[in-house]
Amino acid sequence: MAYEIRISVKKLAEFLLQSGSLDNRFGGIDRASEGARIHRRLQKAGGPSYRAEVFLSQQTERHGFLYRVEGRADGVITDAVGVTVDEIKTTGAPLTMITEDFNRAHWGQAMCYAYFYCLQENLERISVQLTYFQVDTEEIRRFQRVYTAEELEAFYLDLLDQYEKWAAIQRDWTSVRDQSIRALAFPFATYRAGQRQMAVAVYRTIAAKGRLFCQAPTGIGKTVSTLFPAVKAMGEGKAERIFYLTAKTVTRRAAEDAFAQMRDQGLRLKTITLTAKDKICFLEQRDCNPEACPYANGYYDRANQALYELVHDCEAVTREAVEACAQKHRVCPFELSLDAALWCDAIIGDYNYLFDPVVYLKRFFGESPGEYVFLVDEAHNLVDRSRDMYSAALHKSTVLQARRLVGKEERKLFRALGAVNTEMLTLRKACGESRTLTQEEAPKELLTALNRFISCWEEWAEEHRHSRTDPLLLQLYFDALFFLRIAELYDDHFVTYVTVSGSDVTVKLLCLDPSPLLDKAMQRGRASIFFSATLSPLDYFTSVLGGDDTTKKYVLPSPFDPAHLGLFIDDRVSTKYRDRARSLHPVAELLYAMLQGRQGNYLAYFPSYSYMNEVYRVFRERYPEVQTLLQTAGMDEEARMEFLNRFDVEPEGTLLGFCVLGGIYAEGIDLRGERLIGTAIVGVGLPQVNAEQEILRAYYDRTNGEGFAFAYQYPGMNKVLQAAGRVIRGEQDRGVVLLIDSRFSTASYRNLFPTHWQHFQTVRSAPELEQAVAAFWEH
């Protein structure tokens, strides 16, 4: 029985026929919706003889493979002259660069459609037309060739023959992989409490093609509880590919470790961990064009040889493996890793590979949805990340700097930058005495000026293609493209926010509610599972992260004995901003009282650097005998590690680290056992009150009446839960958590406490706390 290969016409042509170099200077930002509008416009202009979006497919059995190749031709023109298949391509490159042989893959795509149409309509001869549309100048250039059906058949069969070795890799690997998955047992002798329930919920969600939001406390083993059922579903044909998406490197390593543990049990699975472009680039300063980078120059001419070697030889495609292969074949390591991902079963990477409007993986998500499973780890982080992904900003000062760099000699580009500056000046005047402006409409005149700038810049860049572009100019080009891309998404979930600072003007397109865009991104796959130790309240996270009424929600209890955690609340102290000066000495006393119960390592978290530093000063003056550490702003990697390494398993004395709530030491660190035995959290973690946060509050007041909760309370409490979660990391861990703030005793906050916090104890003085902590350690 022939092995079936399904592939689109576009992917087949691009994979085999793409040649030349990587070049980020023209159309570096995806403008998909703009391209779709242009396609519709040209198709409509074709008149009654022009049939648009013609679906064509072909099944061909050859050398033991059944190829199912399909796609949509942009147009089929039938007139008195004959039949022509039209392929439309939008481009940011100047039309002077577009020659008849500009891109072999474009011809290949159109020729495949032409061949399929000849077979369908029994034609002996057909015309093939490439239509290039320059998106900024709106110029059009067309090229046309005539082929016989026999010529097209020979071309198409040759493509299939070129693809055969890749088809063989896919066939042979799938057989090996699925056989190993069927035999795979859970990689540990027993399930932890809650682990089996979570795995079952994940499997059922994948089988049902649904979405799941799961709060799974630390200790359950969330990573393997999601990956194992996803792998099992893949072996049953319920998943084509698994995407494990995270915000931090440490959680990517957890996924790699989980796959390694399953490989130890016999699993055969190709995995790849994607590394950010800036981190994996071989150049000191990244510049992705053939004039500046030898790894970009001629990339497509060497890429497939490197790719074949990489995917044939590796099952766990690590950063080191990618870099070694890329160096050997002199190709871009980042692009090679993206190409390799198409041949892997599981992809580990940052959230942006699915959700970011610019850098999402178009190789997977550019056409129709796939049978993909999205596992979103530490999903609470996605709220702020997604708002950032879908927001854009431009600064007037940068525009003026760029204009000075260009100079009056480059008249068109100079004038285009001047027009952008003029529109920003107009917005500055609209700010008035308040020096801010918030409006629900996008800044249309500014967008028009930016489009003109893009057009002039790309024409200028082509004229100066052999010169090095100033980094500031290049960055402004990309910032402008991104601004325009976000403007395409702009709707009633956005506002335009303008601020004036001195002579500078900042224009922001602020995404207040990313949920519709996250929902759209999830529609690219089969199932999505969002999980974290802190997704409380679940209704809030489901709402802001793209869930709906059909989304399943699951809360798992902590697997640890609540008696292992001593939870204390002092609700006498107000840490509200106006009361902080009065709270310094009481907070210092409470921290010292917490330390008296047992010698060991402790952390204290504060809502800001300034407040932390003030309490630190008072604490050091009153209790100089206690060893202390202080987090500072802008700590580099070496300083961060030095800080954490002070938390020894066998401390010689008591150590208290002062940290910022929501910072680098508030989540993602794993100080197990004696490395950390207590944490104090000062304040309820509310985000800083500022204009943008107040805009967010007003938006949710208007849409659901919960502005304060959505903008301040829920995000703040999430930081508290994350910091508290640093203490109990394993079954043998014991530790104390001290919450200092009068608001922790109110019903609105206690309703947010997880189940394993219901045994909290209220204390109202430092001596009472000292006595309660001592009693906890005695038991």
Side-chain angles (χ1 to χ4, degrees), residues 237 396 702:
K396 180 178 173 293
R702 188 170 66 252

Side-chain angles (χ1 to χ4, degrees), residues 160-173:
L160 297 186
D161 289 344
Q162 290 181 54
Y163 195 77
E164 187 173 310
K165 71 174 184 178
W166 300 95
I169 285 181
Q170 183 176 331
R171 175 196 61 197
D172 297 344
W173 175 252

Side-chain angles (χ1 to χ4, degrees), residues 7 42 78 233 627 636:
I7 189 170
L42 294 176
T78 305
Q627 299 178 63
D636 60 22

Side-chain angles (χ1 to χ4, degrees), residues 39 75 164 225 273 314 348 373 494 634 674 723 745 752-753:
H39 274 60
E164 187 173 310
S225 299
T273 302
C314 296
I348 304 166
V373 172
F494 287 77
E674 297 299 311
S745 284
L752 300 178
F753 283 14

Side-chain angles (χ1 to χ4, degrees), residues 188-201:
F188 300 101
T190 59
Y191 285 91
R192 295 180 187 174
Q195 200 166 38
R196 182 187 290 275
Q197 296 96 305
M198 185 175 181
V200 169

Side-chain angles (χ1 to χ4, degrees), residues 453-742:
F453 160 66
I454 294 297
S455 175
C456 293
W457 192 95
E458 289 174 346
E459 184 178 326
W460 176 86
E462 166 59 12
E463 293 171 1
H464 297 80
R465 64 183 308 179
H466 297 296
S467 305
R468 184 173 178 81
T469 304
D470 186 279
L472 184 141
L473 254 182
L474 189 62
Q475 188 58 52
L476 177 59
Y477 167 69
F478 285 125
D479 289 346
L481 280 174
F482 183 68
F483 198 91
L484 292 169
R485 177 71 183 103
I486 295 301
E488 292 176 2
L489 305 174
Y490 198 102
D491 60 12
D492 58 3
H493 300 92
F494 287 77
V495 295
T496 301
Y497 179 55
V498 186
T499 56
V500 178
S501 177
S503 61
D504 201 9
V505 180
T506 301
V507 183
K508 290 186 178 181
L509 305 181
L510 278 180
C511 177
L512 303 176
D513 182 3
S515 58
L517 298 168
L518 296 173
D519 170 64
K520 186 176 180 180
M522 285 185 278
Q523 291 174 24
R524 296 168 180 153
R526 172 192 179 105
S528 299
I529 289 88
F530 288 70
F531 55 101
S532 169
T534 55
L535 283 183
S536 179
L538 260 180
D539 287 344
Y540 160 73
F541 282 102
T542 304
S543 171
V544 297
L545 293 178
D548 56 30
D549 293 339
T550 66
T551 300
K552 291 182 172 61
K553 304 166 195 172
Y554 200 18
V555 178
L556 289 164
S558 172
F560 304 133
D561 185 346
H564 291 185
L565 175 68
L567 181 64
F568 306 98
I569 298 175
D570 188 308
D571 59 4
R572 299 170 305 124
V573 181
S574 170
T575 69
K576 293 178 181 178
Y577 187 79
R578 64 177 181 270
D579 299 324
R580 286 181 181 173
R582 292 194 299 271
S583 73
L584 300 180
H585 286 275
V587 169
E589 290 173 0
L590 288 168
L591 295 180
Y592 186 73
M594 177 181 68
L595 307 182
Q596 299 315 296
R598 185 181 173 195
Q599 175 181 299
N601 299 321
Y602 297 82
L603 285 170
Y605 294 96
F606 296 83
S608 70
Y609 278 102
S610 59
Y611 186 33
M612 174 187 70
N613 290 334
E614 285 297 298
V615 176
Y616 178 78
R617 177 183 58 79
V618 171
F619 188 90
R620 291 284 294 152
E621 288 173 356
R622 296 188 61 171
Y623 312 109
E625 72 276 13
V626 179
Q627 299 178 63
T628 57
L629 287 173
L630 182 67
Q631 179 184 350
T632 57
M635 297 174 79
D636 60 22
E637 191 65 31
E638 184 178 348
R640 292 179 189 181
M641 292 308 299
E642 186 177 336
F643 186 101
L644 290 176
N645 289 338
R646 288 286 303 277
F647 290 78
D648 296 326
V649 175
E650 297 180 2
E652 295 180 359
T654 291
L655 174 68
L656 176 61
F658 287 70
C659 303
V660 174
L661 194 60
I664 54 176
Y665 300 120
E667 64 173 291
I669 60 169
D670 197 16
L671 299 174
R672 288 180 175 266
E674 297 299 311
R675 294 192 68 193
L676 183 68
I677 63 169
T679 287
I681 300 161
V682 184
V684 292
L686 299 183
Q688 183 180 2
V689 177
N690 56 42
E692 291 186 19
Q693 210 66 27
E694 285 297 289
I695 291 170
L696 185 64
R697 175 179 180 163
Y699 169 82
Y700 280 111
D701 271 336
R702 188 170 66 252
T703 56
N704 65 14
E706 294 190 75
F708 176 76
F710 272 54
Y712 291 100
Q713 184 184 20
Y714 296 158
M717 191 60 189
N718 192 269
K719 294 178 188 176
V720 171
L721 294 170
Q722 279 292 325
R726 299 311 95 202
V727 177
I728 305 295
R729 310 296 295 174
E731 292 181 13
Q732 304 306 315
D733 286 2
R734 306 286 192 279
V736 297
V737 170
L738 170 63
L739 306 178
I740 303 174
D741 194 284
S742 56

Side-chain angles (χ1 to χ4, degrees), residues 220-281:
I220 282 179
K222 296 183 291 293
T223 304
V224 74
S225 299
T226 54
L227 283 175
F228 178 72
V231 168
K232 280 293 190 180
M234 175 177 282
E236 296 171 4
K238 294 182 175 68
E240 176 186 348
R241 196 167 273 109
I242 299 165
F243 291 84
Y244 193 94
L245 305 168
T246 77
K248 294 182 173 66
T249 302
V250 65
T251 41
R252 275 164 241 166
R253 292 198 190 106
E256 292 172 342
D257 291 343
F259 280 123
Q261 289 159 351
M262 287 187 277
R263 285 193 181 100
D264 289 343
Q265 301 297 316
L267 176 65
R268 303 289 303 277
L269 199 85
K270 287 189 186 294
T271 62
I272 186 168
T273 302
L274 298 178
T275 304
K277 185 184 289 189
D278 284 332
K279 290 184 178 180
I280 203 171
C281 179

Side-chain angles (χ1 to χ4, degrees), residues 127-145:
S127 294
V128 175
Q129 177 173 281
L130 293 185
T131 299
Y132 288 97
F133 183 95
Q134 215 291 336
V135 293
D136 301 304
T137 65
E138 299 196 353
E139 297 173 89
I140 296 173
R141 178 165 293 177
R142 290 186 171 94
F143 302 101
Q144 197 170 93
R145 294 173 179 174

